[in-house]
Amino acid sequence: MSKILEVKDLHVSFDTYAGEVKAVRGVSFDLHEGEVLAIVGESGCGKSVTAQTIMKLNPMPPARIVNGEIILCDKDIVNATEKEMMAIRGKDVSMIFQDPMTCLNPTMQVGKQLTEAIRNHRKMTKEEAHKEAIRLLELVRIPNPEQRAKQYPHEFSGGMRQRVMIAMALSCAPKLLIADEPTTALDVTIQAQIMELLKEIGKKTNTAIIMITHDLGVVASMADRVVVMYAGKVVESGVARDIFYHPAHPYTKALLKSLPTTEMSRDERLVSIPGTPPDLLNPPVGCPFASRCKYAMKICYEAPPAEFEVGKGHHGSCWLPHPDCPKDQAGGEQ
């Protein structure tokens, strides 16, 4: 499989009246054709900023890319102009946003919105673009696509609007699709349908997908690989099975323990993570999770942890796997 995306040591800051907010601090990962990568973490961990930086949608200023590379389809787009990005967005990379109602034009029929996007990026006649729009609505399982294409966004349910957004994201046959918490505003049943739809479309079109979410449960059956972010950093990465069954970082373990399971008794309580994330105006010198980790050692507050390989393709940024770490600490469970 060819490599679609490679993010190397990405640093993104926001210049505010209070100072520099270091939202993304040295994030690195890659993505191959047809692969599904989930980026998970609490709100404010930097996952959405990372995704929007790949699309270069963060307003600059106040945002700025301090350092790093974003190699999309063999081209570094960090210094790409807005004109160049307009050609890249849609064609090479598309994004599905959290709230489709704020992204769809309420005054324009859904079919016309799809047709407009297709004609902007693909050399098609009006008739060809209309046929392609109907095909896309069928692909995302919208019933009676010919009739529904003539309707306006407010005539669709939340789940159907999200399906329209997926169709628009796919309208220019992108190599990379970024889904930024696409099921947040939907009920649980519709969430499952949308996730299954994305998985099916990814396989049919061989499109690489980045799934941004705070819910590990949402990506359990969908992701090939998972990147766990905390305080602007990648704290763990690996194939989904390793992350779920052999988590290496205390933060990942705590996230997994906060999820309800079928084995839980009626009296059993969900585990919450004590404390709050660090202030990224003045990020900590050591491990960003140290103040919330019951296994934190002195070195955790003094130096950032190195990245250790805890299994094949499975990495964690934590001092616990270090060979000099005391065995009673290394074997601890969060």
Side-chain angles (χ1 to χ4, degrees):
M1 292 188 296
S2 60
K3 190 178 288 186
I4 298 297
L5 175 71
E6 188 171 8
V7 177
K8 297 180 181 178
D9 194 29
L10 182 65
H11 292 253
V12 181
S13 291
F14 289 83
D15 294 314
T16 70
Y17 69 92
E20 180 187 359
V21 177
K22 298 175 181 178
V24 175
R25 306 184 295 145
V27 166
S28 298
F29 61 86
D30 56 30
L31 185 64
H32 293 80
E33 194 177 65
E35 189 177 26
V36 179
L37 174 72
I39 302 179
V40 301
E42 288 175 282
S43 296
C45 71
K47 55 189 187 296
S48 289
V49 173
T50 300
Q52 289 171 5
T53 303
I54 294 168
M55 293 278 291
K56 294 197 79 174
L57 291 177
N58 294 315
M60 299 184 182
R64 58 187 169 90
I65 299 174
V66 179
N67 188 44
E69 298 175 57
I70 302 171
I71 301 169
L72 177 64
C73 300
D74 299 321
K75 181 183 178 182
D76 190 350
I77 62 170
V78 165
N79 296 314
T81 64
E82 180 58 24
K83 186 177 180 180
E84 289 172 328
M85 286 307 302
M86 285 180 70
I88 290 169
R89 295 186 196 117
K91 180 185 175 185
D92 292 331
V93 56
S94 286
M95 195 165 190
I96 305 167
F97 295 93
Q98 292 185 31
D99 186 1
M101 202 58 187
T102 61
C103 300
L104 293 170
N105 187 334
T107 66
M108 189 183 291
Q109 293 175 350
V110 161
K112 285 187 178 180
Q113 294 188 54
L114 274 167
T115 303
E116 188 179 79
I118 292 166
R119 295 193 72 190
N120 278 342
H121 290 275
R122 296 164 73 178
K123 293 179 180 178
M124 286 189 178
T125 64
K126 191 174 181 179
E127 187 179 341
E128 288 171 338
H130 176 73
K131 286 181 179 178
E132 178 65 5
I134 300 304
R135 186 190 72 81
L136 287 167
L137 291 176
E138 287 178 343
L139 181 66
V140 297
R141 298 182 195 164
I142 289 181
N144 306 316
E146 284 277 3
Q147 180 185 342
R148 298 291 266 171
K150 298 174 185 176
Q151 295 180 322
Y152 294 86
H154 72 269
E155 297 179 86
F156 288 73
S157 66
M160 285 297 172
R161 282 196 293 266
Q162 195 60 283
R163 288 170 189 266
V164 172
M165 281 299 301
I166 294 170
M168 287 190 73
L170 293 169
S171 62
C172 301
K175 298 177 179 67
L176 171 61
L177 182 63
I178 301 174
D180 187 5
E181 307 217 28
T183 60
T184 298
L186 307 176
D187 63 54
V188 176
T189 306
I190 304 301
Q191 277 187 16
Q193 291 176 7
I194 295 296
M195 298 303 289
E196 187 60 35
L197 177 63
L198 283 171
K199 186 177 180 180
E200 183 183 315
I201 287 172
K203 286 183 177 178
K204 278 184 180 178
T205 61
N206 209 27
T207 304
I209 298 174
I210 294 179
M211 176 67 60
I212 308 291
T213 181
H214 62 277
D215 187 352
L216 276 165
V218 167
V219 299
S221 63
M222 182 176 176
D224 298 308
R225 288 189 296 125
V226 178
V227 167
V228 183
M229 286 188 67
Y230 183 77
K233 286 180 170 285
V234 174
V235 295
E236 187 168 358
S237 63
V239 297
R241 185 174 183 83
D242 286 340
I243 297 295
F244 279 93
Y245 292 102
H246 307 289
H249 198 281
Y251 177 62
T252 311
K253 294 176 183 178
L255 279 180
L256 289 167
K257 285 192 173 184
S258 69
L259 294 174
T261 64
T262 54
E263 288 80 23
M264 290 181 68
S265 66
R266 183 176 293 181
D267 299 327
E268 194 174 349
R269 290 179 176 271
L270 289 174
V271 176
S272 61
I273 305 174
T276 57
D279 183 359
L280 295 183
L281 274 168
N282 186 26
V285 175
C287 174
F289 191 61
S291 63
R292 305 176 74 185
C293 179
K294 64 180 179 180
Y295 294 104
M297 301 171 284
K298 185 179 178 182
I299 192 172
C300 297
Y301 295 93
E302 295 175 346
E307 185 179 77
F308 292 95
E309 187 171 18
V310 293
K312 187 178 179 181
H314 185 188
H315 298 85
S317 295
C318 180
W319 285 114
L320 291 178
H322 194 281
D324 293 335
C325 177
K327 288 185 179 179
D328 58 333
Q329 289 289 116
E333 289 290 331
Q334 179 74 13

PDB file of all heavy atoms in Angstrom, residues 28-41:
ATOM      1  N   SER A  28       3.715  13.031  15.377  1.00  0.00           N
ATOM      2  CA  SER A  28       4.188  12.306  14.188  1.00  0.00           C
ATOM      3  C   SER A  28       3.337  11.054  13.984  1.00  0.00           C
ATOM      4  O   SER A  28       3.053  10.331  14.949  1.00  0.00           O
ATOM      5  CB  SER A  28       5.656  11.897  14.339  1.00  0.00           C
ATOM      6  OG  SER A  28       6.494  13.020  14.455  1.00  0.00           O
ATOM      7  N   PHE A  29       2.927  10.808  12.759  1.00  0.00           N
ATOM      8  CA  PHE A  29       2.245   9.565  12.390  1.00  0.00           C
ATOM      9  C   PHE A  29       2.178   9.489  10.869  1.00  0.00           C
ATOM     10  O   PHE A  29       2.479  10.461  10.169  1.00  0.00           O
ATOM     11  CB  PHE A  29       0.829   9.476  12.991  1.00  0.00           C
ATOM     12  CG  PHE A  29      -0.111  10.570  12.563  1.00  0.00           C
ATOM     13  CD1 PHE A  29      -0.850  10.473  11.395  1.00  0.00           C
ATOM     14  CD2 PHE A  29      -0.273  11.707  13.343  1.00  0.00           C
ATOM     15  CE1 PHE A  29      -1.715  11.477  10.995  1.00  0.00           C
ATOM     16  CE2 PHE A  29      -1.135  12.724  12.961  1.00  0.00           C
ATOM     17  CZ  PHE A  29      -1.858  12.607  11.786  1.00  0.00           C
ATOM     18  N   ASP A  30       1.813   8.327  10.344  1.00  0.00           N
ATOM     19  CA  ASP A  30       1.640   8.191   8.894  1.00  0.00           C
ATOM     20  C   ASP A  30       0.381   7.391   8.607  1.00  0.00           C
ATOM     21  O   ASP A  30      -0.229   6.811   9.512  1.00  0.00           O
ATOM     22  CB  ASP A  30       2.872   7.560   8.236  1.00  0.00           C
ATOM     23  CG  ASP A  30       3.246   6.214   8.842  1.00  0.00           C
ATOM     24  OD1 ASP A  30       2.338   5.511   9.318  1.00  0.00           O
ATOM     25  OD2 ASP A  30       4.432   5.853   8.837  1.00  0.00           O
ATOM     26  N   LEU A  31      -0.001   7.378   7.351  1.00  0.00           N
ATOM     27  CA  LEU A  31      -1.245   6.724   6.950  1.00  0.00           C
ATOM     28  C   LEU A  31      -1.095   6.200   5.538  1.00  0.00           C
ATOM     29  O   LEU A  31      -0.569   6.894   4.655  1.00  0.00           O
ATOM     30  CB  LEU A  31      -2.398   7.734   7.018  1.00  0.00           C
ATOM     31  CG  LEU A  31      -3.808   7.222   6.740  1.00  0.00           C
ATOM     32  CD1 LEU A  31      -4.241   6.208   7.798  1.00  0.00           C
ATOM     33  CD2 LEU A  31      -4.799   8.383   6.713  1.00  0.00           C
ATOM     34  N   HIS A  32      -1.547   4.963   5.324  1.00  0.00           N
ATOM     35  CA  HIS A  32      -1.433   4.329   4.011  1.00  0.00           C
ATOM     36  C   HIS A  32      -2.795   4.212   3.332  1.00  0.00           C
ATOM     37  O   HIS A  32      -3.837   4.316   3.968  1.00  0.00           O
ATOM     38  CB  HIS A  32      -0.787   2.942   4.142  1.00  0.00           C
ATOM     39  CG  HIS A  32       0.636   2.991   4.574  1.00  0.00           C
ATOM     40  ND1 HIS A  32       1.014   3.164   5.894  1.00  0.00           N
ATOM     41  CD2 HIS A  32       1.794   2.896   3.869  1.00  0.00           C
ATOM     42  CE1 HIS A  32       2.336   3.173   5.980  1.00  0.00           C
ATOM     43  NE2 HIS A  32       2.834   3.009   4.767  1.00  0.00           N
ATOM     44  N   GLU A  33      -2.744   3.950   2.052  1.00  0.00           N
ATOM     45  CA  GLU A  33      -3.943   3.810   1.225  1.00  0.00           C
ATOM     46  C   GLU A  33      -4.891   2.761   1.806  1.00  0.00           C
ATOM     47  O   GLU A  33      -4.473   1.656   2.157  1.00  0.00           O
ATOM     48  CB  GLU A  33      -3.502   3.387  -0.181  1.00  0.00           C
ATOM     49  CG  GLU A  33      -4.549   3.502  -1.246  1.00  0.00           C
ATOM     50  CD  GLU A  33      -3.982   3.136  -2.605  1.00  0.00           C
ATOM     51  OE1 GLU A  33      -3.595   1.956  -2.780  1.00  0.00           O
ATOM     52  OE2 GLU A  33      -3.881   4.020  -3.474  1.00  0.00           O
ATOM     53  N   GLY A  34      -6.168   3.114   1.938  1.00  0.00           N
ATOM     54  CA  GLY A  34      -7.177   2.178   2.424  1.00  0.00           C
ATOM     55  C   GLY A  34      -7.161   1.910   3.916  1.00  0.00           C
ATOM     56  O   GLY A  34      -7.951   1.098   4.402  1.00  0.00           O
ATOM     57  N   GLU A  35      -6.295   2.596   4.642  1.00  0.00           N
ATOM     58  CA  GLU A  35      -6.149   2.365   6.081  1.00  0.00           C
ATOM     59  C   GLU A  35      -7.043   3.313   6.878  1.00  0.00           C
ATOM     60  O   GLU A  35      -7.310   4.437   6.456  1.00  0.00           O
ATOM     61  CB  GLU A  35      -4.685   2.573   6.482  1.00  0.00           C
ATOM     62  CG  GLU A  35      -4.346   2.165   7.893  1.00  0.00           C
ATOM     63  CD  GLU A  35      -2.862   2.337   8.196  1.00  0.00           C
ATOM     64  OE1 GLU A  35      -2.214   3.184   7.560  1.00  0.00           O
ATOM     65  OE2 GLU A  35      -2.374   1.634   9.086  1.00  0.00           O
ATOM     66  N   VAL A  36      -7.510   2.852   8.046  1.00  0.00           N
ATOM     67  CA  VAL A  36      -8.293   3.694   8.954  1.00  0.00           C
ATOM     68  C   VAL A  36      -7.468   3.956  10.211  1.00  0.00           C
ATOM     69  O   VAL A  36      -7.093   3.015  10.917  1.00  0.00           O
ATOM     70  CB  VAL A  36      -9.630   3.040   9.341  1.00  0.00           C
ATOM     71  CG1 VAL A  36     -10.404   3.940  10.309  1.00  0.00           C
ATOM     72  CG2 VAL A  36     -10.475   2.749   8.105  1.00  0.00           C
ATOM     73  N   LEU A  37      -7.172   5.225  10.456  1.00  0.00           N
ATOM     74  CA  LEU A  37      -6.402   5.630  11.627  1.00  0.00           C
ATOM     75  C   LEU A  37      -7.314   6.438  12.542  1.00  0.00           C
ATOM     76  O   LEU A  37      -7.936   7.411  12.112  1.00  0.00           O
ATOM     77  CB  LEU A  37      -5.201   6.473  11.209  1.00  0.00           C
ATOM     78  CG  LEU A  37      -4.368   7.085  12.351  1.00  0.00           C
ATOM     79  CD1 LEU A  37      -3.554   6.005  13.057  1.00  0.00           C
ATOM     80  CD2 LEU A  37      -3.445   8.182  11.829  1.00  0.00           C
ATOM     81  N   ALA A  38      -7.406   6.043  13.801  1.00  0.00           N
ATOM     82  CA  ALA A  38      -8.199   6.791  14.778  1.00  0.00           C
ATOM     83  C   ALA A  38      -7.261   7.607  15.657  1.00  0.00           C
ATOM     84  O   ALA A  38      -6.262   7.095  16.156  1.00  0.00           O
ATOM     85  CB  ALA A  38      -9.011   5.834  15.639  1.00  0.00           C
ATOM     86  N   ILE A  39      -7.577   8.898  15.818  1.00  0.00           N
ATOM     87  CA  ILE A  39      -6.845   9.755  16.747  1.00  0.00           C
ATOM     88  C   ILE A  39      -7.793  10.058  17.895  1.00  0.00           C
ATOM     89  O   ILE A  39      -8.843  10.684  17.698  1.00  0.00           O
ATOM     90  CB  ILE A  39      -6.372  11.059  16.071  1.00  0.00           C
ATOM     91  CG1 ILE A  39      -5.482  10.734  14.862  1.00  0.00           C
ATOM     92  CG2 ILE A  39      -5.608  11.926  17.055  1.00  0.00           C
ATOM     93  CD1 ILE A  39      -4.972  11.959  14.111  1.00  0.00           C
ATOM     94  N   VAL A  40      -7.452   9.584  19.094  1.00  0.00           N
ATOM     95  CA  VAL A  40      -8.360   9.696  20.230  1.00  0.00           C
ATOM     96  C   VAL A  40      -7.716  10.479  21.372  1.00  0.00           C
ATOM     97  O   VAL A  40      -6.496  10.606  21.453  1.00  0.00           O
ATOM     98  CB  VAL A  40      -8.801   8.297  20.738  1.00  0.00           C
ATOM     99  CG1 VAL A  40      -9.490   7.513  19.642  1.00  0.00           C
ATOM    100  CG2 VAL A  40      -7.607   7.501  21.260  1.00  0.00           C
ATOM    101  N   GLY A  41      -8.568  10.977  22.252  1.00  0.00           N
ATOM    102  CA  GLY A  41      -8.093  11.725  23.412  1.00  0.00           C
ATOM    103  C   GLY A  41      -9.185  12.640  23.932  1.00  0.00           C
ATOM    104  O   GLY A  41     -10.217  12.839  23.292  1.00  0.00           O
TER     105      GLY A  41
END
